[in-house]
Every structure is written in C-alpha cells, then in structure tokens.
Amino acid sequence: MDTKGRLIAGSHNRNEFILINADEVGRVTSVKELSGQVCQICGDEIEITTDGEMFVACNECAFPICRTCYEYERREGNQACPQCKTRYKRIKGSPRVVGDEEEDEFDDLVNEFDLRNNGRRDMHHSFHELSSRRNFAPGASYISGFATPSEVDAAGLTPEIPLLTYGQEDDDTHALIIPPFMGQSKGVHPMHCFDTASSISLPPRPMDPKKDLAVYGYGTVAWKDRMEEWRKARADKLEIIKHQGNVGDDGGGDLDDVDLPKMDEGRQPLSRKIRIPSSKISPYRMVILLRVAILGLFFHYRILHPVNDAFGLWLTSVICELWFAISWILDQFPKWFPIERETYLDRLSLRYEKDGKACELAPIDVFVSTVDPLKEPPLITANTVLSILAVDYPVDKVACYVSDDGAAMLTFEALSETSEFARKWVPFCKKFNIEPRAPEWYFAQKVDYLKDKVHPAFVRERRAMKRDYEEFKIRINGLVSMAQKVPEDGWTMQDGTPWPGNNVRDHPGMIQVFLGNNGIQDVEGNELPRLVYVSREKRPGFDHHKKAGAMNALIRASAVITNAPFMLNVDCDHYINNSKALRESMCFMMDPICGKKICYVQFPQRFDGIDRHDRYSNRNVVFFDINMKGLDGIQGPIYVGTGCVFRRQALYGFDAPTKKKSPGKTCNCLPKWCLCCFSSRNKKKGHGNSKKIMKKMKKMMEGSSQVHALENIEKGIEGIECEKLSLMPHIKSENSSMAPQIKYEKKFGQSPVFVASTFLEEGGVLPRASSASLLKEAIHVISCGYEDKTEWGKEVGWIYGSVTEDILTGFKMHCHGWRSVYCIPKRPAFKGSAPINLSDRLHQVLRWALGSVEILLSRHCPIWYGYGCGLKPLERLSYINSVVYPLTSLPLVAYCTLPAVCLLTGKFIVPEISNYASIIFMLMFLSIAVTSILEIHWGGVGIDDFWRNEQFWVIGGVSSHLFALFQGLLKVLAGVNTNFTVTSKGGDDGEFSELYVFKWTTLLIPPLTLLFLNIVGVVVGISDAISNGYESWGPLFGKLFFAIWVILHLYPFLKGMMGKQKNVPSIIVVWSILLASILTLLWVRVNPFVSKDGIVLEVCGLDCD
C-alpha cells in the first residue's frame, strides 16, 4: 500500500478522512498447503484427472495408487487392490485386460484394446508419451552429463538387444527402471516395452519362478527387493542434492527432480512430542498418589483430634489446611502428562522453500502494543520493532503493526526514526547472521562477538553500525527530552499541521505506513517488511476496553491491509531474541497433519536485567518450565499475553475443525428374533440419529450460505469508493441470499471488506479492492463505535471483562475445541524487561490477580462455563486454578498469623502429639519435599528458583492477592472501578539500581506487619521458655518452627527493607510497627483463653519458709 510516507487520519462516525490515496494495492497471494496424495507403491504423487479430481483406482477402499502402478497391476499382477483385495475395475483411459467385465457405462474405443499388440509404438513415440507424463518437452536439454532427449532419439537403443528385467532378456512387458535422462523420475514405474519385435524375434524363454511370481508382485520377496533398490536410488539422489548443491557441467545425478526434497525429509513431520522419561515421571506420579493418601490420613487425624483449650485456633488452622489441599490438587493434577516438543526447521524449508519456486511460507502480522511512552521508553519499543523487521523470514511475508493507544507524538516520531535506521540495521543483521537482532542488547552482550565470524568486513561494518546506533539513540533521547514539556497549543507536525492526538481522550483514528510497498528500500536495495503505525479513534462516552480493545482494533486494521492468516503479539518491551522464532511457530501451524487444530503457539517469557538471585521471582521459571509443560500434554498452555502466535480464524470465534468419523459398520448376520429385545433401543437411536442428520443438514446449509455471503460482500466492495456505501438495493433483490451477510455483519461489524476477509482462511487481500477503499475501511474498522452491537469482545477477538484479557481469550478458544502448543526453543524466542522493583512487581501481580477475580465473578468463570464443548477436564482444572488462586490470600494471611498468636498466648493448633501423629506429620512433610524434588528433576528447574517461587507466593499472597480480592469484589458488587498502572519498562543508569528501592504503596503494609508479628512472637516465646524452665522448651519447638517458616518465606522482603535503609519510606515502618503493637496489646488485653471468672490462683506446693 503506497501512502507516499504520509499519515492517514479520520473518523468514520464524523465522516472525516484525510489523504485518501487511490493507488492500487499489490495483491497478497494466498498460501495454499499442498494436499496431494502419494502412491503407496512407488512413492510418486497421484496425478489429477482431466475432471480435476484425484485419480482413484479402487472404489471400495480408495487405496492411494498412481495410474501407472494401477495399469501395471491389472496387466501383470493379480488385478486386485493390495489393501482390500477387491478386483480392479477398468477406468476410462486404461486398456482392457483379460477378465474385464462388460462395461456399458462409457465408450472408450481408443483404449478398448491394447494397441501395443496391433501396432507397436516406436521408441520415439514411447519417449514422447513418457515426456508428456513427466512434464518436460522432448526437445529440452537438461543437466550436463546426461543424454538429452534428442540424443536418445538419434541414437536409440540397440534393436538387437531387448530390454532387460533382472538381467534376463524378455519379450514381454515388465517394470522398467527409468534412466536419469528421462527427467523428473521418482521411482520404479511399470511401463510398456519398446518396439523390438520388428527388428528381432526371440524364442520363448523358459519360465523363471522367481521372476514370474514377482510380477504378481505386491508383498512378494522380489517386489520388496525392487522397492529397496528404488528407495536406495531415491536416497542417493537426495544425498546428491544435500552434499553437492549446484552441480556443474560434469556433475552427475538427477538434480532436475524438484520434488525430491519434498518426497523425503520434506514429507516428514515438522515437529514431534518428547515424552518425559518414565524413570522421571513414574515416581513423580506415584508420590502424588501417596501424597493424596497421606492427606486423607492427615485430615482424619486433625478433624478427630481438636484442641479444646484453643478451639478457635484449631478450627481456623483446619479450614486453612483444607483450602490449601484443594488448591494443591487444582495445581498438581494438570501436571500429570508433561511433554516437551522439538521442531525441525530444515524440514520446514524443504517443504515450503524449494529452490526455483515461490516461497510458500504463510504470512504473519506482528502486533506491538504500547500506551505511555514515558513509562514504556520509545528506545525499548524501537528495539522491539527493529528485531521484528530483521527477523529470519521472507520480507514480503512479515508486517509489523504498532498500536499507540496513547496517541503520543513521541511514539510516532520515534517510529519514524526507527524506520529510517532499519534501512541500515536489517541488511547488517541478515548479512552477518547476528543474534539477537535488537541493537541495544546485541551491543550490550558480554560475549566474544567475533566467534564464528569469517567475513573480512565484519569488524569494520560492526563498528560503523555501532556508531550509527549511538547516533540513533541520541536522536531518540532528544525526542524524549523534547516531549517532557508539552506546548500550550499542543504538538504540531513538521508541515505545521496540529498533531491529531493532542487530546488523548478525543482524537480520530490514525494510520501511517512507514515501510513496505511504498518504494522505501534498505541501503542495499532490498525490500523491507511492512511497518504500520496505528492509533485507534477515541471519543468521550465510549468504553475503549484498554489493551484488549487496542488489540481488536489491530486485528481489524491488519485484516483490511494485509490479512495474514497468522498473528504474533508481543509487548513493546519483548524483543525477538531468536530470529527463527517465527519459523519455530510455523513448524506447528503449517503442519499438514495436526496444524489445522492449533489456535496458538505460546513461547515462554524470558527476561533481561534481573539480578542473579532473582529475589522477587521475576523469571517465574516454575510456571513456565513446569506448569506449562504439563498443560501442553493435555490441551495446551494458557495464553500469557505476549510471545504468542495466533491463528486468525481461531480469534474470529470459529470452532476448531473436527475430524470426520468413519461411517459405522452394519451387521445383518443376526436373526430377527435376536433383535426383538433391542427394538425399543433402536427406536431411540433412530430418533437421535434423525436429530444428528438435521444438525448436519443445517451446518451444510450454513456452509453454502457462507459462500453466497462472500460473493455478495465481494460484489458490494466495488461500491466502497463512493461517498456513501449502500447495499439496500442488493438486499431487496436477493433478500434470501443476503441473510447470511447480515448475520456476519452483526457478528463482525458493518465493514464489507473486513467481513469478506474473515472467509479467507489462508489470508490475502481481496483482489478488486483499491488502495483508497482499503485505507477508508482501515479507518472505519478502528473507529470507536465500530464494535457496538457486535460480538467483538464477547465471542470474537480478545475477550473483554477482565484486565487479564489473555486468560479469558485463551479459555474461550479452548472452549471452541482448539488446542494450543508450547514451544521452548534452545535459544529463547523472546526476551523482555521485568520490573525488578518490589513495588512495581507487586502492582504487576495485583493486576493479574484482579483480572482473575473479575473472571471468577463473571459468566465466563471456568467453574460453570463451557461444559459440553471441547474443553478437557484437566484443562478446566488448570483454568479454575488460574482464577481462584486469589482466594488463597485469606487463609494464607490467617495461617501466617497463627504462629505469632500461638507464641504470644502459649496455645497451639495441635494437641499433644502421639507416635501415630508424629508418623503422619513426618510422612506429610516428606511427601511435600519429595514431590518438589521430583518436579525440579523432570522440569529442569534449579532448586534456588523453586525456593524463590515459594517465597514470592507467600509475599504476593498476603499483599497483592489480598488487595485484588477486595478490589474485585468492590468492582463487581459495588461498581467501583480501579485503574491499573502500567508497569515501568527498562532500567536506570546503574545495573540493578532499583532492586532495593521501595516506592510508597499500601501493598507493603500486610507482609511487613506479619513479619514484625512473627519476630515479636519468636522473641516473646523464647523469653517465656527461658523464664519457665526446661519443660517449656518441648512445646515451644513446634511453635518456633511454625513462626520461622513464615519468616523464611518473607525473608526477601526483610532483606530488601534492610538493604538500603535510607530508601525505606518512614510511613511504612511507622504503620507496620503501629499495627503490630496495637494487635499485640489488644490480644493481651482481650485474651480469650483466660477464665472469665478471674485469675485462678493455685498453690505451688513449695515451702517458702
């Protein structure tokens, strides 16, 4: 789309549109997967008949076999299908053989008899038939070293020597091994003999049992030997292609066979599952079952042995432990079938990137979302965009869309600078094959950058590129500095035009095509991927649905402009760390066997700029390396918001394709009297079958109506260029055929171009649409009122109703029967910057937990939504766990408070422990430890990462999850809306400079209060034991262990507070000490365990005199 490098802005509702460019749009050719069948005997592709249908030899079982092998089997074999043993019928175009039935269906006088017995074809005629079958002209020459057809015709074969089979002379027709000069041969084919009878007559040879039995062929020893020879020859051809590459004039081998790569490795699966070894997973499952049994014994003892003198503490602890057990089950059993996956990028290239042919890889639209350029630095966004533009993928198949939901001129200007720098950066990356392709992290990595580099100009060009990037950074920093002070009249563009987005809450939609199809090339003259800036329209009074609404606007705008069948979404701070990440995802999406049912490929999140100890568990490796692998073995991982490649059709709310079931077999072997007792059941089944038939007929009618709707929409596209689009006359004339169109417009919106694009499963732009019409439609589909009275955000696109739209969107797709895939390349596909500041980290966890609470209290809650659809039970358990985990904050806060209460009061939640109870407690702790160790073993997670995850689970549970639970209840029940804060991206001047910085937030008060309470409780308990003597130390150990367990989990919090005391806000310390003191004094004053009748005085028994 050529926009002459100018901005497109407008509002559909206000009928405003600036700069409509009328140039034609280059058509994007749709990618179609090859679905040809392969002959199961010779390995050739089965040809297409003149009617356009696939050749079928057996009408009973449709065993795949090519026409050549079919004719050979009828002429020399047993004339039966190798699979079902049914005798082959004569197909039109094939000669008759002995035993054919009289066929009056058609007249085929040309092939009625075997003409080779009447008039033998000469060598030249046979060769021309072969050449036409093999699709090359008889006069063309081929690779040097082989005889050309003209040479063969001139020289011919020696007429005195007939063709040989198995080294013996033969006057009959046998299988002929095609020599290399006969073009694109793939294997052994049965063919007619050449004419030799006219030149020489041979006496009949004696029968050779081995040879003559072999002609009956399929399954015999001789046939297997011939097939082994053919496979060996085919393997030799593939080795020539692999190792010799372009063969010169004196090279050998049949290299003209362009389908050879596709026949061999290209036909192999593009990925495979790797099961966790049974030596690792079987003990893990056994320990889980044992732990469930031990839990039953544990609760049996706890419930039957209450603590009478501290009944409140005992009851609270039992309720908390019951909830922890339920939470553990929800988290544990979805990890029952963990798997890993491996991709084969070389096979992907062999299948879809053949030399001499157009690339057949599917196009991909990449979405980058940003809001506030002050919290999300433009330099970080620029690096993400540069890594996308330099990705290892065909440039005409990649389009990058940047969503600026803040309509900031700073983002627009930074993107303009990025597009200019990309002209130098992209060819540099591809020329020297560097990793990563984000310049900030490439130049900052502390590795030997000369490793594996042999190009003599690399050092010189790298230095020049580093200097260019530093100049680019200076320009970006200048833009950021300028944006700090906004002019009173707002920003103006270079031509004096006011910036349309000066009012962030009231501005038109904006689209700017920076790169791609507008004449801008890189410094070496090569084409660059498309780069598009999009800022959707915003007006007061409309609910814009935050990030989910911005992503849906990108879906529609990209569908109008490029309409790639797959989409990748990344956050502005998640750059592509592995340039082959898109190819990794295509190994699953474009797999011809199982790719059609995959809705998205999720990559794990990896982060830069985190301290070595990962104090606040920013890497979250337990979730990404253990939980997600477990989900991949069920129905697929959940969507985590970034680093995910989607199938566009799945986001449109369509159901996953279902596998057609084979028709049920019928049996009439039983007598009628045996079926009397089943008569009533058969009637019920018949009634059910009639309903199924009606449903199938309804689906077929809907499918046909979709075709009519698409035709009608395409007809209506021609009128888009008019000032007012009107389809009413068309609707009146064809009211019945327009009904499906109206249905889809209610679902997808009032854009005929976009509705038509939803029918194109393989992507591509509508052919008759002009550039002006597409630009106008792009502005239309990003208007603020486009989604009104449609299913956007309900069934289509990113789902609304939660600030964590990622969980809800993935859940809806799984409910439609789709499955997802988890891909972990050896080199991380994406890397981002995590908030190492504790306050920002807690706010991030707060937003995630708040979204889960919103889903829990909505109609899309997985506890009651989506039954009877394609969601598997264990997958449902994982989604239930992902929305109910904030509820754990209530029992967790209570359980962390119990140790301090027990130490301050001298009471405990467990009575005197017997030997039986000691064994149960020991087994309980042992099962927890063994389960964790085995998870670490098969998940490949370090023990320090596992422990950090446990620590932050407690820290986040008593702070962020608790606040999220109350905020969610207020939002849903009282309508009090809470705005989440955007997490800051990027670091400051020093490395890990903000690690110990605490910003004021109320989220810090609960964990500090619990920490001080337990520390005070430990001090009081130890002091009391010292004053009371030796006997009081025994009961104290259980209480101390309980309190130290809490303190150890909150230790990162304590260490962060003590790291730089000058940075700790005094208000936090004051409030925490105040609350701890008040609660302690209140407990001492109102002690529920003291007798209401007063203090009971007892005689100590000692004679003081």
Side-chain angles (χ1 to χ4, degrees), residues 184 299 340 411 567 651 850 1100:
Q184 302 178 358
F299 284 114
E340 295 177 349
T411 304
M567 300 174 294
L651 276 173
L850 178 60
C1100 63

Side-chain angles (χ1 to χ4, degrees), residues 40 135 148 167 190 248 339 378 437 448 466 506 535 538 577 580 608 623 661 690 707 722-723 755 777 1016 1078 1105:
Q40 296 298 309
N135 298 322
T148 61
I339 63 171
R437 299 190 176 180
D448 182 13
K466 186 174 183 180
D506 187 3
S535 181
K538 286 189 176 181
N577 183 64
K580 297 185 183 296
D608 286 319
F623 173 76
K661 297 182 180 180
S690 63
V707 177
C722 303
E723 293 183 359
V755 174
E777 283 302 304
V1016 170
I1078 292 175
D1105 299 333

Side-chain angles (χ1 to χ4, degrees), residues 652-839:
Y652 286 160
F654 294 121
D655 291 332
T658 56
K659 188 176 181 181
K660 294 183 179 179
K661 297 182 180 180
S662 57
K665 296 182 179 179
T666 57
C667 180
N668 299 324
C669 57
L670 296 177
K672 293 183 178 179
W673 58 269
C674 293
L675 301 176
C676 293
C677 57
F678 301 106
S679 59
S680 60
R681 185 182 300 176
N682 291 336
K683 289 180 182 179
K684 294 180 180 179
K685 288 185 176 179
H687 183 66
N689 290 334
S690 63
K691 290 184 176 180
K692 292 181 179 178
I693 293 173
M694 293 298 294
K695 289 182 179 179
K696 289 182 179 179
M697 292 178 63
K698 186 176 180 180
K699 288 184 178 180
M700 291 173 62
M701 293 175 64
E702 288 181 355
S704 61
S705 64
Q706 291 179 9
V707 177
H708 292 297
L710 178 59
E711 294 175 354
N712 295 328
I713 292 170
E714 288 181 346
K715 291 178 182 178
I717 291 173
E718 298 176 356
I720 296 177
E721 298 179 7
C722 303
E723 293 183 359
K724 185 176 180 181
L725 178 66
S726 176
L727 296 174
M728 294 305 296
H730 192 67
I731 294 176
K732 292 179 180 178
S733 61
E734 299 182 12
N735 191 22
S736 60
S737 63
M738 288 299 294
Q741 177 182 346
I742 298 174
K743 171 186 174 183
Y744 285 104
E745 286 182 350
K746 288 182 178 179
K747 180 178 182 179
F748 296 113
Q750 300 293 322
S751 172
V753 176
F754 175 75
V755 174
S757 70
T758 60
F759 294 98
L760 305 176
E761 293 186 9
E762 301 300 331
V765 182
L766 296 175
R768 293 190 297 272
S770 65
S771 176
S773 63
L774 291 182
L775 285 173
K776 188 172 183 179
E777 283 302 304
I779 292 295
H780 178 199
V781 297
I782 64 174
S783 60
C784 54
Y786 181 83
E787 297 179 354
D788 293 346
K789 299 181 180 180
T790 65
E791 295 187 6
W792 282 99
K794 302 172 185 175
E795 298 294 334
V796 181
W798 269 260
I799 307 302
Y800 304 150
S802 171
V803 295
T804 54
E805 69 288 331
D806 43 10
I807 296 178
L808 202 52
T809 303
F811 173 65
K812 292 284 286 187
M813 283 188 279
H814 282 142
C815 286
H816 281 284
W818 297 93
R819 74 151 296 132
S820 55
V821 166
Y822 194 52
C823 180
I824 311 179
K826 292 182 179 180
R827 180 180 179 85
F830 304 92
K831 278 192 175 182
S833 56
I836 62 175
N837 180 289
L838 178 60
S839 300

Side-chain angles (χ1 to χ4, degrees), residues 93-108:
S94 300
R96 284 186 179 275
V97 297
V98 178
D100 277 348
E101 300 175 354
E102 292 297 329
E103 300 172 352
D104 299 330
E105 301 176 9
F106 51 83
D107 294 328
D108 190 16

Side-chain angles (χ1 to χ4, degrees), residues 900-1088:
V901 176
C902 292
L903 288 168
L904 292 174
T905 60
K907 309 297 181 181
F908 199 44
I909 59 176
V910 179
E912 292 185 4
I913 299 177
S914 61
N915 293 332
Y916 172 73
S918 301
I919 294 174
I920 291 179
F921 286 143
M922 290 176 62
L923 288 176
M924 189 68 203
F925 286 115
L926 185 63
S927 66
I928 294 174
V930 173
T931 305
S932 303
I933 292 172
L934 292 176
E935 274 191 1
I936 292 171
H937 185 50
W938 66 256
V941 177
I943 191 170
D944 52 344
D945 292 322
F946 195 88
W947 173 238
R948 296 300 183 199
N949 182 79
E950 292 295 319
Q951 288 179 316
F952 198 80
W953 175 74
V954 175
I955 295 173
V958 299
S959 58
S960 298
H961 299 172
L962 182 65
F963 278 78
L965 182 60
F966 289 110
Q967 287 186 13
L969 292 174
L970 288 174
K971 182 176 180 180
V972 175
L973 301 179
V976 179
N977 196 3
T978 56
N979 293 322
F980 71 90
T981 58
V982 178
T983 307
S984 299
K985 274 75 173 179
D988 285 344
D989 298 333
E991 188 178 13
F992 316 134
S993 59
E994 290 192 354
L995 178 60
Y996 303 104
V997 173
F998 282 86
K999 301 176 183 178
W1000 162 245
T1001 172
T1002 53
L1003 297 176
L1004 302 175
I1005 295 178
L1008 277 177
T1009 303
L1010 289 174
L1011 192 61
F1012 286 135
L1013 276 175
N1014 282 274
I1015 292 176
V1016 170
V1018 170
V1019 173
V1020 172
I1022 294 176
S1023 301
D1024 185 64
I1026 293 174
S1027 62
N1028 290 335
Y1030 176 78
E1031 295 181 355
S1032 60
W1033 282 97
L1036 180 64
F1037 279 128
K1039 305 172 187 177
L1040 285 178
F1041 175 80
F1042 202 8
I1044 292 174
W1045 177 88
V1046 176
I1047 295 173
L1048 286 177
H1049 279 78
L1050 295 175
Y1051 174 70
F1053 206 92
L1054 178 63
K1055 187 175 181 180
M1057 184 185 67
M1058 301 301 294
K1060 291 184 180 181
Q1061 299 180 9
K1062 61 181 181 179
N1063 289 339
V1064 180
S1066 57
I1067 187 66
I1068 297 178
V1069 180
V1070 170
W1071 273 101
S1072 301
I1073 295 176
L1074 182 61
L1075 286 177
S1077 303
I1078 292 175
L1079 292 176
T1080 304
L1081 294 174
L1082 184 63
W1083 187 271
V1084 173
R1085 180 68 181 85
V1086 190
N1087 193 343

